[in-house]
Amino acid sequence: MKREINWTRLLLAFLIATFLFSLGIFLGFLAKGTITDASVSLQEGIRNDIINLETLYLLEDSFPCNEEIITITSQKLDYLGELITTLEVKRGKDAEDVLELKKLYTILEIRHFLLTETRNEKCSGSHTTFLFFYSNDENCEGEVEKASFVLTFLRNKYDNIRVYSFDINLNSEIITTLKSEYNIKGCSGVVMNKEKIPFKVTKASQIEELF
Amino acid sequence: MNFIRLMIYFSVYVGFVSMAFYLLGFLEKRKAPKRLKEYFCTIIIPAYNEQNTLEKTVESSLALDYPNSKYEILIVDDGSKDKTGVKGKQLAKKHKNVQYFYKKNGGKGTALNYGIKRAKGEIIISFDADSMVVPNALKDMLPYFEDPKVMAVTPAMKVWKPKGILQRIQAIEYDLGIFLRKVFADINAIHVTPGPFSSYRKSFFEKHGGYDEHNITEDLEIAMRIQSLHYKIQNAPRALVYTIAPKGLGLLTKQRRRWYFGMISNLRTYKRLFSREYGMLGVFVLPLSIVSIVTVVIISSYTVIKILSDWTKQINLYSAVGFDFINNLNLQWYLFSLTFYRVISENIVLFSVFFILLTITMLQIINKKVGSIDRPISIFISYGFFMLFYGILFSAWWIMAWIYSRFTKEISW
């Protein structure tokens, strides 16, 4: 004895499901599109900020030891760093335009680093500088995340700390030069006040002992 | 696209298909059959250590809107060690149509068979001693027996005044069960006749034997047997039965382990039901149930592992800074906003919001239709708990039942 199968209802159910599923995927794409649009305006904003920052650096030559300039440029640099990370999350870390922005950002970081070091020497500044070299490689995730977390924590805790982060996988001559200068190998490396820290950073207290 | 993402998309699509199919059935208007005949009915209450709830169960049976002369109530004490016997005897003494029987402990199936042998009714109703029935229930169920192919009619089960997280989760599960049972009835795909107030044609037991006394889920076995013999199981959605759901996690887990273990072993016994011969039950309902269980278990397990590994990672990171949260507030807020960006651009979020809204609407409709006493706010709170914890609990119970079924042959009550 065979029972009936309601093929019409079954077919209708599959049609409705396919429609709703496709609609969901389409709306998802729309949402992603909106985010991409937002990314484009974010990129434009970042480029404007970069020009501003370069002008501020030029001001430094005319007004040496002006505290205001270092404060503003530091804030701007941090803000730009966050914007680029946001963009990296939205567009993916391998997106061409993100990589280009990161290269530009690297130049700004180096200029700021040199500015801070000069301040420390000429204007009796007391900033502690950290150069943080990291790899975006998946195998390095744990080590890099921990070192990054510790350095961000220290930057939040102490006002006079500056951290400059560099993606060692970035195709940039500046980074290659710095890497060879400080003999950076492996997933990460930290340089404090121009001296390479000879151990892997895993705890904030390790660094605090060096102050 | 990784495996788990594919799995999620697959489960969403399957969810849409089943939801569309079941909603189409739910919205189809069918008139409930009109009552033609007053059958003589026997309500069998198997009781094992039910001194606290037995009286309420019997009283709700006595309050049924059905002529007293047309039904009897048999309390079958399955060797209780508490005062169930005293209560049972008192009730039998007080009410003319209540009888009390004592037998040596042997399990629920043996108690029900004991009652069936002594029953005078044409219709047998099994009634768990921890449940209560609304007065109209019997009158709503009996007309379905006018169809000679109908061998059983199931009620609509609800949790009695749910309190606490676990009872509230079960309340939603039972409410969704009301919806599913009604839809399954229309396509003759009901495969469980629950213990509280399911009714059966006595002739079925006479012809095909009573409850399987060795089966841990005898209500599931009897339903599958009815289906396997090509009879019909109907559902009376307004025949409300309130049951007291387990309050503690230990008791609930024990109950679910038994149910799901029973489901696995009975599906093995009745694997022939998975065939074209059994119509929608064989080609759609049963296969879909299995697919849903497997996907929910995989996705929930992945989620739990992911959450645990993220927590471990966070703890590990915070240990690096001596668990100093104050100096990390800015960073945490920044990371949270990044995660938020990532989440809102996921299609899955859209699908989830859609499913949640649809389920809430459905729950409201179901409760209104069956004349539930639950307040909407209570349903809303329960649904919140359901969304948060049900997937994880459900998966844990299924994994447990599967392990038991692999490595043991039997499971105790």
Side-chain angles (χ1 to χ4, degrees):
Chain A
M1 183 179 140
K2 250 187 182 179
R3 295 191 203 177
E4 267 181 40
I5 291 182
N6 193 338
W7 291 110
T8 319
R9 196 195 288 176
L10 209 51
L11 185 73
L12 210 55
F14 271 101
L15 284 176
I16 293 172
T18 310
F19 170 72
L20 288 175
F21 191 76
S22 316
L23 185 70
I25 299 281
F26 175 69
L27 290 175
F29 272 123
L30 275 189
K32 276 220 169 76
T34 316
I35 285 171
T36 312
D37 289 348
S39 302
V40 172
S41 60
L42 195 60
Q43 279 181 54
E44 282 163 9
I46 291 170
R47 284 184 197 282
N48 281 337
D49 280 327
I50 288 171
I51 296 167
N52 274 339
L53 203 53
E54 279 177 341
T55 317
L56 279 167
Y57 288 150
L58 288 176
L59 272 179
E60 167 69 15
D61 296 336
S62 313
F63 308 101
C65 297
N66 182 321
E67 251 328 291
E68 200 62 24
I69 292 176
I70 196 101
T71 313
I72 294 173
T73 48
S74 300
Q75 285 169 354
K76 267 261 183 270
L77 198 64
D78 289 346
Y79 175 67
L80 269 177
E82 286 186 0
L83 285 184
I84 290 173
T85 315
T86 311
L87 200 64
E88 202 175 2
V89 169
K90 285 178 179 175
R91 309 267 289 120
K93 62 182 180 187
D94 297 325
E96 272 301 313
D97 41 2
V98 176
L99 291 174
E100 280 307 309
L101 283 174
K102 277 176 91 172
K103 278 184 197 169
L104 274 175
Y105 184 70
T106 304
I107 301 170
L108 294 178
E109 279 193 301
I110 290 296
R111 289 187 69 165
H112 197 276
F113 164 67
L114 294 173
L115 185 78
T116 312
E117 287 296 337
T118 317
R119 284 289 177 112
N120 280 347
E121 285 164 23
K122 289 189 181 164
C123 315
S124 52
S126 58
H127 284 97
T128 306
T129 56
F130 285 93
L131 303 183
F132 174 47
F133 297 90
Y134 67 93
S135 166
N136 251 339
D137 197 282
E138 270 179 29
N139 300 326
C140 296
E141 208 180 284
E143 182 186 321
V144 168
E145 207 169 43
K146 198 156 211 179
S148 161
F149 193 80
V150 167
L151 291 173
T152 315
F153 165 79
L154 290 171
R155 197 190 68 189
N156 284 334
K157 192 173 174 183
Y158 303 101
D159 289 339
N160 64 337
I161 282 183
R162 295 283 332 150
V163 180
Y164 305 95
S165 309
F166 304 101
D167 178 352
I168 52 176
N169 301 120
L170 209 59
N171 186 15
S172 148
E173 284 108 2
I174 300 172
I175 292 172
T176 316
T177 314
L178 288 171
K179 262 170 69 180
S180 94
E181 176 68 28
Y182 292 112
N183 191 26
I184 302 295
K185 279 174 189 148
C187 289
S188 69
V190 178
V191 174
M192 180 181 163
N193 290 336
K194 292 182 173 174
E195 295 260 338
K196 190 187 171 190
I197 294 177
F199 51 81
K200 295 265 173 241
V201 175
T202 54
K203 274 193 173 6
S205 56
Q206 289 174 312
I207 309 257
E208 282 172 321
E209 278 167 17
L210 300 175
F211 288 167
Chain B
M1 200 181 271
N2 59 24
F3 171 72
I4 202 75
R5 190 170 275 262
L6 267 177
M7 201 76 191
I8 292 173
Y9 278 111
F10 173 70
S11 70
V12 167
Y13 187 71
V14 170
F16 274 135
V17 172
S18 51
M19 181 199 72
F21 184 84
Y22 295 149
L23 269 179
L24 285 171
F26 190 74
L27 297 173
E28 214 167 86
K29 284 202 169 153
R30 272 199 190 81
K31 279 187 180 165
K34 285 194 176 130
R35 191 167 156 250
L36 294 171
K37 190 179 160 191
E38 275 182 353
Y39 295 92
F40 189 85
C41 302
T42 301
I43 299 173
I44 304 172
I45 305 177
Y48 178 67
N49 294 343
E50 304 281 5
Q51 61 177 23
N52 296 327
T53 50
L54 181 65
E55 197 170 344
K56 274 194 177 167
T57 307
V58 173
E59 272 170 6
S60 81
S61 312
L62 288 164
L64 282 167
D65 178 17
Y66 200 67
N68 258 9
S69 57
K70 284 282 181 186
Y71 71 106
E72 58 176 357
I73 300 166
L74 311 186
I75 302 168
V76 183
D77 184 348
D78 190 25
S80 296
K81 290 179 183 120
D82 64 356
K83 288 182 179 157
T84 302
V86 180
K87 287 262 178 201
K89 279 176 201 161
Q90 277 172 0
L91 287 162
K93 210 172 166 186
K94 204 167 146 193
H95 305 283
K96 223 173 88 185
N97 53 347
V98 178
Q99 294 174 62
Y100 169 81
F101 298 96
Y102 178 88
K103 66 174 272 298
K104 217 176 110 186
N105 181 257
K108 194 172 149 194
T110 62
L112 284 166
N113 285 341
Y114 186 96
I116 291 168
K117 270 184 204 150
R118 284 150 186 85
K120 287 187 224 134
E122 284 173 83
I123 303 296
I124 304 283
I125 296 137
S126 77
F127 196 16
D128 287 355
D130 57 357
S131 311
M132 285 143 283
V133 64
V134 295
N136 61 290
L138 201 50
K139 267 191 174 173
D140 275 2
M141 291 172 107
L142 291 178
Y144 289 96
F145 284 105
E146 288 307 309
D147 177 353
K149 293 293 278 177
V150 170
M151 286 297 145
V153 181
T154 59
M157 279 175 69
K158 283 191 71 73
V159 171
W160 177 250
K161 292 183 178 169
K163 284 185 193 85
I165 295 176
L166 289 176
Q167 280 191 337
R168 282 178 179 277
I169 290 173
Q170 292 174 83
I172 296 297
E173 190 191 22
Y174 279 55
D175 283 2
L176 292 173
I178 295 177
F179 164 78
L180 284 178
R181 221 167 276 134
K182 185 189 178 301
V183 178
F184 287 172
D186 290 341
I187 51 174
N188 194 21
I190 293 181
H191 47 283
V192 190
T193 42
F197 224 74
S198 283
S199 50
Y200 305 86
R201 207 182 280 279
K202 194 187 179 189
S203 58
F204 177 82
F205 294 116
E206 288 164 348
K207 202 170 168 189
H208 302 287
Y211 283 92
D212 179 354
E213 297 184 355
H214 304 291
N215 203 298
I216 194 72
T217 44
E218 71 299 317
D219 45 0
L220 186 64
E221 192 280 332
I222 198 86
M224 287 193 177
R225 202 183 329 154
I226 293 171
Q227 285 291 2
S228 72
L229 294 163
H230 289 296
Y231 292 118
K232 285 185 189 168
I233 302 175
Q234 263 299 349
N235 171 250
R238 290 186 66 85
L240 275 187
V241 180
Y242 287 91
T243 190
I244 299 165
K247 220 173 184 177
L249 187 60
L251 273 180
L252 180 60
T253 301
K254 209 174 161 196
Q255 181 201 58
R256 294 312 166 108
R257 194 187 63 188
R258 184 173 63 80
W259 284 7
Y260 299 166
F261 178 89
M263 178 65 110
I264 294 170
S265 55
N266 282 310
L267 278 178
R268 272 191 196 136
T269 313
Y270 288 97
K271 53 178 177 280
R272 63 178 178 278
L273 290 178
F274 288 85
S275 99
R276 166 83 179 75
E277 198 189 328
Y278 291 93
M280 296 311 289
L281 175 70
V283 299
F284 190 75
V285 174
L286 287 179
L288 191 75
S289 309
I290 291 181
V291 169
S292 310
I293 291 165
V294 171
T295 47
V296 169
V297 168
I298 293 176
I299 294 168
S300 302
S301 308
Y302 169 80
T303 310
V304 170
I305 293 167
K306 181 92 180 63
I307 289 172
L308 286 179
S309 88
D310 282 356
W311 281 358
T312 317
K313 210 164 149 187
Q314 283 290 312
I315 291 170
N316 186 21
L317 286 178
Y318 272 99
S319 73
V321 297
F323 293 97
D324 183 342
F325 296 103
I326 308 287
N327 283 306
N328 257 338
L329 285 178
N330 287 345
L331 176 68
Q332 285 312 299
W333 174 247
Y334 176 60
L335 290 179
F336 173 76
S337 55
L338 275 190
T339 317
F340 185 71
Y341 270 127
R342 214 176 281 173
V343 167
I344 55 160
S345 57
E346 288 282 348
N347 301 23
I348 300 298
V349 179
L350 269 172
F351 288 135
S352 308
V353 170
F354 178 75
F355 270 119
I356 290 170
L357 291 177
L358 191 83
T359 319
I360 291 179
T361 319
M362 240 162 62
L363 286 167
Q364 297 287 359
I365 295 172
I366 293 162
N367 277 289
K368 211 174 164 190
K369 269 200 169 184
V370 298
S372 159
I373 54 167
D374 291 348
R375 286 177 304 150
I377 184 74
S378 171
I379 298 169
F380 199 73
I381 295 168
S382 302
Y383 186 65
F385 289 131
F386 182 85
M387 284 300 297
L388 282 173
F389 303 113
Y390 187 70
I392 294 165
L393 289 170
F394 181 80
S395 306
W397 294 326
W398 269 108
I399 291 171
M400 211 180 279
W402 180 78
I403 292 170
Y404 270 88
S405 76
R406 289 278 296 158
F407 301 108
T408 55
K409 290 262 177 277
E410 277 182 32
I411 203 166
S412 67
W413 266 73

